[in-house]
Amino acid sequence: MKAIWSLLSLLTLGLAQGVPADWPDPFKMQFQRLQPAAIQPTRVQLSNGLTVLLIEDRALPFVSGRVYLRAGAIYEPDDKVGLSGIFSSVLRTGGAGERTPDQVDETLETLAATVSVSTDNLFTSVAFNTLTENLDQVLQIWADVLVRPRFAQERLDLEKGRALEAIRRRNDQPTQIAVREFVRRINEGHPAGRISSAASIQSITRDDLLAFHQRFFKPNGAVLAITGDFNTQEMVARLERVLQGWQQGPVSLPTFAPPSPKPGIYFLQKEANQSVIYMGNPTVTAFAPGYSELDLASRVLGDGFNSRLFVEVRTRRGLAYATGGAQSQGFGWPGFFYGASISRVEKTAEVIELMLAQFRDLRERPVSQEELELFRNNILNAEVFRFTSKQAVAERIARTQMLGLPPDYYEQYIRQIQAITPADLQRVVQQYVRPEQFVIVVVGDKRQFDRPLQSLGKVVEVPLE
Amino acid sequence: MRRMVWLLLLVLLLPGAMAQQLREQIRKYTLDNGLRVLMVPDKTAPVIHFNLMFDVGGVDEAPGLGGIAHMVEHMAFKGTPSIGSLDWAKEKAALEAIDKARAELDRAIANRASQEEIQRLTARFNEAREEAKKLALPNAIDQLFTNNGEQGLNASTGYDRTDYRVSLPSNRLELYLRVYADVLMNAVFRSFYEEADVVLEERRQRSENDPNGALSEAFLRAAFQVHPYGRPLIGSREEIQGYRVDKALEFWKTHYHPNRAVLVLVGDVEPERDIQLVRRYMGAIPRGPERPSLNIPAEPPQTAERRVSIEYNAQPSLLIGFHKPTYPNREAYVMDMIDSILTEGRTSRLFRRLVIQEQAALNVSASSASPGFRYPNLFTISAQPRAPRTTQDLERLIYEELERLKNEPVSPQELQKVRNQTRAAYLRVLQGGPGLAQALAFYELFFGGYQRIFEEEAIYNTITAEEIQQAARKYFTPQNRTVATLITRGGSR
């Protein structure tokens, strides 16, 4: 009887909800956690000391590679901020080996191949991508760019001119201003908190580029990740050949004191009908003790549709389209725990208070077990996506080595994530997240604010530059 | 030189096998309700990339309902009775109370009721919204997918199409199907008015506080005076404020049907096994009406140059457009080639001339099919001057390069370079992932079948220098041109 009754109620329930009765409740569907099959690259050291990680993948007729070098923005001299950016542009575009700038471009584009250079705070990387058939030619150009760049003066002048124009345009969008100012203020006292100026760009000379190359581009300490359609042994022989003449040398890197930001509200006036708000404080370096808890807590705070900032600011109140937060990954110096919103200007103070309340709540009350499980499950179940591209796997392992992380850092992180309780999370948040110490950056039109920012704390007015 | 030609030939011949192999692996099924399902097995990792695309977008909107396609795309994330309700019977009543309160408020405003009356009705409307919120789980669809490790859960609305994307671990196939089959049958537009406010913020962010968005809106309005490509895709502020649940639901019920959609799965699938599950869920959705004939007005031929400028708190910028036909017209493919000749890479003509040689521009880019592809569209060129050079300087240089395209045939080497670039871009799409899922959905829905993706290359390979010259002459004319300029407020161009 009971069974029949429950069957009937299920049927009515099913029909009332518009789906066939035998469809499962999606919230009760159970799935196994898929474990990714780890991909291990072959590791080889070339005669010049360069570490090479190789993964053969014969499915498609492409070869990709990227070499990482310890040559990032934090190593620029104080009066030459912007040098690493200009350096990486001109490394690629200034000619290399036997080829003029135009010849490099012509050859690559005719072969529909790419050689590209990117740079961030810590590393510069030189990458290539080509059809297998053109491998020899493209590998030669890649090696020339890496080892034998020409840094043609006219291309340096061109890139400096473009950088100056980009500076002229860097106050065009409110979000761009807010991100720049927040990164600058939260890293104050550390080279990562510097920004370029017209003067720093103008001062850059060809000798600066040569010196930067000379100082940082050494095979020892660098790691190359290479994947695709090749035979490993043949590839190693090829690399030995094209990198001939690239010599080892000592690389000494300066160390820096961690950032010491000054808490407060930094306001920049910009005519717009929305305000861009960023807030947060530095915490710990990535994968250091406390990082896993902060990472999970920051997801509860600001990762996606079911995070607190999203639900409170966007879903329930319609106060923003873009809102969220995260724990940034800091390597070498602490990352920061932060939140951001882009909200209508006449609600600026209200949104700042609403956001601050979410941070305080994370400190004051343990998160619910359901919330914690949601974001924990997301991390655990998404692990398979770390292995969808062999090149991405090889590059990640290369960076892991460059950063000095243990090879099993991610497995350790996963184990920690699995063990975190609401009490752990609250304890670590209380230790590291301090709303009263926040750097808060607001970009907007103060004439339209709901309340003066001074009602929220000490305000520093920063002129746009 | 001989060696070069030989190399170029190799570039063309070799990867054909790869495309062929992929083509043979794709399975297509059509369910009884008309839903087309494409499956592409790729065992690299135990994941599936989903793309569900509908042939509905901004062009399908009635006048005054601009942006409703995009609003409906947002509402499709709000759940169903069995996904997101804490008590459906009560929530249903609460949602009806909101509609009633909104209608009364609208009537009072229309009848110019007293301030007090309007305030009273506004308060009632807001209370009704708060009541309904208590009965719902916000963002339940996202919660299901987040819990299961989603990547890239998102959707986008264009003028011609709308697509819903997510990637999940491959054993969550049934969850995906359970959720989307339910959404297509029973979507509940809960938190509608809060979401309209979110869309207003999105409009401010993308179109009002972003100089490129503001310029683009003014540009399209000038270029299309009749066709809906001229309307802002996100809607005007007034339109967004005027959205009502019944109109949005009507749009949803008119357009969102399995017979107007393609579902693509790329990843760890076994087609013959997995189609059973797809049939069980997606097959339960009833077929709907076909796309209504909307009498979308054709844009009349342009007869004189149109110029528009906006004053803005930003550095100057230039946007130029020329009307042109769309696919499958052969000239549309010719214009794609011209796009590459002009702006693809550092050796392209406009980049080399404007950025490298003249040092007149920070950047230059082009698009050969803007802002949609289903109807005749625009070839656009966008560039940002480097001070002290001006947008007028850039216009002059760009027109000189367009004249050169009209007057001199493109050399065989340059043509070959562009073909190689087109081919490489195409092969990179075929490598898989969410991009391949989207491309296949697109070709299946609009270009007469996914197989077309494998055939277009042959079209590009037969385009001649003469055709390029002819198309340039035909379309790059002053009377076919719209020019939009962003002028720095209180400054010069």
Side-chain angles (χ1 to χ4, degrees), chain A residues 20-217:
Chain A
D22 63 345
W23 283 17
D25 177 345
F27 289 92
K28 295 192 175 133
M29 291 170 85
Q30 297 285 331
F31 303 97
Q32 256 192 319
R33 179 179 158 214
L34 294 183
Q35 299 279 4
I39 305 168
Q40 277 307 328
T42 305
R43 181 181 291 267
V44 172
Q45 196 157 44
L46 298 191
S47 55
N48 62 10
L50 178 71
T51 301
V52 188
L53 306 172
L54 306 102
I55 304 176
E56 284 183 27
D57 179 2
R58 312 307 285 255
L60 301 172
F62 289 102
V63 182
S64 301
R66 182 182 294 276
V67 63
Y68 291 89
L69 301 124
R70 283 178 218 283
I74 60 169
Y75 307 121
E76 300 162 349
D78 273 337
D79 58 347
K80 306 258 182 194
V81 176
L83 170 63
S84 63
I86 298 282
F87 170 85
S88 63
S89 298
V90 185
L91 186 73
R92 163 61 186 82
T93 63
E98 303 298 307
R99 291 180 174 85
T100 64
D102 282 341
Q103 286 167 340
V104 170
D105 292 340
E106 276 294 344
T107 312
L108 289 174
E109 291 184 10
T110 304
L111 299 174
T114 59
V115 168
S116 59
V117 183
S118 347
T119 192
D120 59 26
N121 269 324
L122 291 171
F123 306 136
T124 296
S125 67
V126 185
F128 71 89
N129 177 277
T130 178
L131 287 165
T132 314
E133 198 49 36
N134 304 321
L135 179 61
D136 280 329
Q137 256 186 305
V138 174
L139 206 59
Q140 185 63 54
I141 295 177
W142 167 81
D144 286 344
V145 165
L146 178 66
V147 183
R148 294 169 284 272
R150 290 164 63 157
F151 296 121
Q153 180 69 45
E154 79 268 16
R155 297 304 162 113
L156 168 59
D157 295 339
L158 172 64
E159 291 309 322
K160 282 168 68 177
R162 292 178 79 197
L164 290 172
E165 182 59 36
I167 288 177
R168 217 170 275 130
R169 291 173 178 270
R170 73 181 171 190
N171 294 326
D172 283 3
Q173 284 166 311
T175 310
Q176 190 185 14
I177 301 169
V179 170
R180 182 180 72 234
E181 191 66 19
F182 185 67
V183 169
R184 174 183 171 184
R185 296 291 171 182
I186 205 134
N187 287 313
E188 202 166 326
H190 186 276
R194 302 175 302 185
I195 56 169
S196 62
S197 65
S200 73
I201 295 293
Q202 268 153 353
S203 76
I204 294 168
T205 64
R206 184 165 179 273
D207 284 344
D208 293 327
L209 305 187
L210 288 167
F212 197 82
H213 186 258
Q214 179 69 28
R215 181 173 168 203
F216 297 116
F217 273 49

Side-chain angles (χ1 to χ4, degrees), chain A residues 202-240:
Chain A
Q202 268 153 353
S203 76
I204 294 168
T205 64
R206 184 165 179 273
D207 284 344
D208 293 327
L209 305 187
L210 288 167
F212 197 82
H213 186 258
Q214 179 69 28
R215 181 173 168 203
F216 297 116
F217 273 49
K218 302 289 182 209
N220 42 308
V223 183
L224 165 63
I226 186 162
T227 58
D229 182 19
F230 56 77
N231 169 285
T232 297
Q233 282 189 330
E234 282 173 26
M235 178 56 80
V236 171
R238 272 196 172 97
L239 289 169
E240 287 283 6

